Amino acid sequence: MNGYSLPPEIHPPPEKTIQIISTSIVEPAASPPNTTNHHDIEIQFTPFDIQFLPLQYAQRGLLFPNPSPQEPNSTSTIPRLKTTLSRALSIFPPFAGRLAAVQYDDDGTASFSLNCNSAGALVVHAVASGLSASDILHSDDPTSPGALHSLFSMNGAYGCEGVSKPLLVVQFTQLADGFFMGFTFSHAAADGSSFWHFLSTWSEISRNAAAESVSPGSELILENPAPVIGTWFLDGIEPPIRFPFSFDETIQKPPISLPLPPLLQRIFHFSKDKIAQLKARANSEQTDIASAKSISSFQSLLAHIWRAVIRNSHGLDPDEEVHCKLLVNFRQRLRPKLPEAYFGNVVLFATATASAGDLAAKGIGFAALKLNETVERQTDGEGRRWVNEWVEKPEVRKLGAMARNSLIVADSPRFEVYGNDFGWGKPVAVRAAGNYSDGKVTVLRGKEEGSVDVQICLVDATMKGIGSDSEFMEFVG
C-alpha cells in the first residue's frame, strides 16, 4: 500500500457540472454578551498541531433532502447560513483566523501560530441541478469518486497554506432534490473533536434562528458548551517551537516517473448486529483467560477491515510488517486532563503492527488484540514521551510517507454527525473527501443507531478483492 493521490483531472460528468453562484467571506460577529473575547489572540502551535501542517485540509460533508419542493431556497437559506455562521465564528474565532509563520534563515527552521484576526471563513454557493441526492447516496460506487470531490471547495490545499487561505470553507450546493454542505477545514487548526463541536454549535444557532428564538445582538443560550481556546503546552516545553520546514518542499507535488494505479473509494455499511457479531468473535478468540483483554466494538470492526485489506493486497511478503494507524484523542488521557471542549489538536497517531502473514492467517482476535494493546499504551506518559522526543528531533511527514503498508484511520463513530439540524431537518448521509491515499479509512457514525459507515480508499485490485471477499462481505450491510 502506498500514498497515491487521486489525479486532479477527476471531474463530474458534463451533465452534472457544478456552477458556482457566489463566494463571500464571512467574518465573526461581535462577541456575545457575557462571553470571553478571544478575538485578536495568538495561539502558538504545539507538536500536536504541527504534525498536520504538511497534510491537506480535511473535508467532511452533510447531505440533506429538501423538506418541500420550495425549501430550502437560496433566497432565505444562504443569508441565514452566513448570519448564523458569523455568530458561530464569534464563539470559535480560530476558524475565522489565519496561520502565521516565522521563518528563521540562520538554521532553516520555522515556527507557526494561529492568529484569531477575524479574517473570516469562505462561503461558496453552488448549484448542481443535474446532480441528485441519490447520486451522492450511491457514491459508494468505486468507479465514480468525481461528483463527491466537486462538492467541496479549496481541494488540495495543504495545512501550511492557511497563512494566506481561509482555515474554514463551506460550500453549499443546491441539488436537484436536496442540498449538500461541504466543509473544508485546516486540520492544523482543529482535530475532529473540535470540528464537530463547532458544527454542532453552528447548527444549533441556525436551528434556533429558524425557530425565531435568536435575534441579532441577543445573548446566545446554547446547549453546546463553549470551546476552551488558548495556547496549551506540556510542562517544560516553551513556545514557539522551531522545526525544519520549507513551504516549497511541502506543497509541491512529487515528480511522477511511473504510472500510478488508480485509487477507488467505496462506503461499507456495518449494522449494529453485525458489529456485535464481530465483537463476540474477537473476544471469543482471546484464548489466554488470565490476561484476556476486553475487545471493543470499534477495535473488532477495525481488525476485520485490516485483515481483509491485507488478505487482498498483492505483493506483500508474509514476513513484511504492516500497520494500522489510528488517531487517538489525548484530552482525557493527559494528567491533568484537558477539557473535552478544548479547541485545537490533541490527537496522536497510534500504530499497531503485525506481519502480513500472521494478520492473514490468524483470526480476528489476534488483530483486535494488537489494536487493543496499542490503544492501551496511549497514556499520559506516552503522550509526554512523544512530545518531548519530537521537540528534541522535530520531523513533519506527508501522508504518503506515513501510508506505506498502512491503514490510516480517521474520524470516529463517537462523533455526533446526524444531530446537525440547521433548521430544515437532520442530514441523511455524511461523506468525507480529501487526503486520498491507498489504505485511507474514514469511520463515520451510521444513520441507524449503533451502525457504522466506513469509507475506504484503495488501489483498484485491492478494492475489487475485498468486494468479492466472502469473509469480509459477510458482515457488510
Side-chain angles (χ1 to χ4, degrees), residues 344-360:
N345 283 289
V346 200
V347 291
L348 291 178
F349 280 103
T351 303
T353 300
S355 73
D358 282 347
L359 204 64

Side-chain angles (χ1 to χ4, degrees), residues 274-310:
K274 293 293 187 181
I275 294 172
Q277 292 175 32
L278 287 170
K279 180 180 179 180
R281 180 178 294 186
N283 279 285
S284 70
E285 293 181 7
Q286 304 305 306
T287 55
D288 188 349
I289 304 299
S291 60
K293 306 285 186 180
S294 178
I295 305 298
S296 71
S297 298
F298 185 55
Q299 291 161 2
S300 304
L301 177 59
L302 283 186
H304 180 62
I305 297 167
W306 191 18
R307 294 186 67 239
V309 172
I310 296 306

Side-chain angles (χ1 to χ4, degrees), residues 450-465:
S451 68
V452 174
D453 289 328
V454 182
Q455 192 167 317
I456 304 179
C457 187
L458 295 167
V459 294
D460 184 289
T462 309
M463 181 67 78
K464 290 177 179 176

Side-chain angles (χ1 to χ4, degrees), residues 64-116:
F64 299 86
N66 282 341
S68 73
Q70 293 77 34
E71 296 180 342
N73 60 72
S74 59
T75 303
S76 61
T77 304
I78 300 300
R80 189 173 90 213
L81 279 176
K82 291 179 181 179
T83 299
T84 56
L85 173 59
S86 178
R87 302 205 72 174
L89 291 174
S90 72
I91 302 171
F92 290 82
F95 268 147
R98 297 291 185 271
L99 303 189
V102 177
Q103 294 190 283
Y104 305 92
D105 295 334
D106 58 334
D107 59 2
T109 63
S111 63
F112 276 76
S113 61
L114 195 163
N115 285 334
C116 299

Side-chain angles (χ1 to χ4, degrees), residues 101-102 184 187 190 208 214 216 236 243 254 256 289 292 297 320 334 343 358 398 465:
V102 177
T184 300
H187 208 321
N208 290 344
V214 176
F243 57 97
I256 299 175
I289 304 299
S297 298
E320 193 168 354
L334 295 170
F343 187 92
D358 282 347
K398 289 186 177 182

Side-chain angles (χ1 to χ4, degrees), residues 157-170:
Y158 286 87
C160 60
E161 294 184 89
V163 296
S164 59
K165 295 181 177 180
L167 302 181
L168 173 68
V169 184
V170 182

Side-chain angles (χ1 to χ4, degrees), residues 50-74:
I50 294 168
Q51 65 180 324
F52 293 105
L53 286 170
L55 303 189
Q56 292 179 3
Y57 277 42
Q59 296 179 315
R60 301 293 180 267
L62 301 176
L63 174 66
F64 299 86
N66 282 341
S68 73
Q70 293 77 34
E71 296 180 342
N73 60 72
S74 59

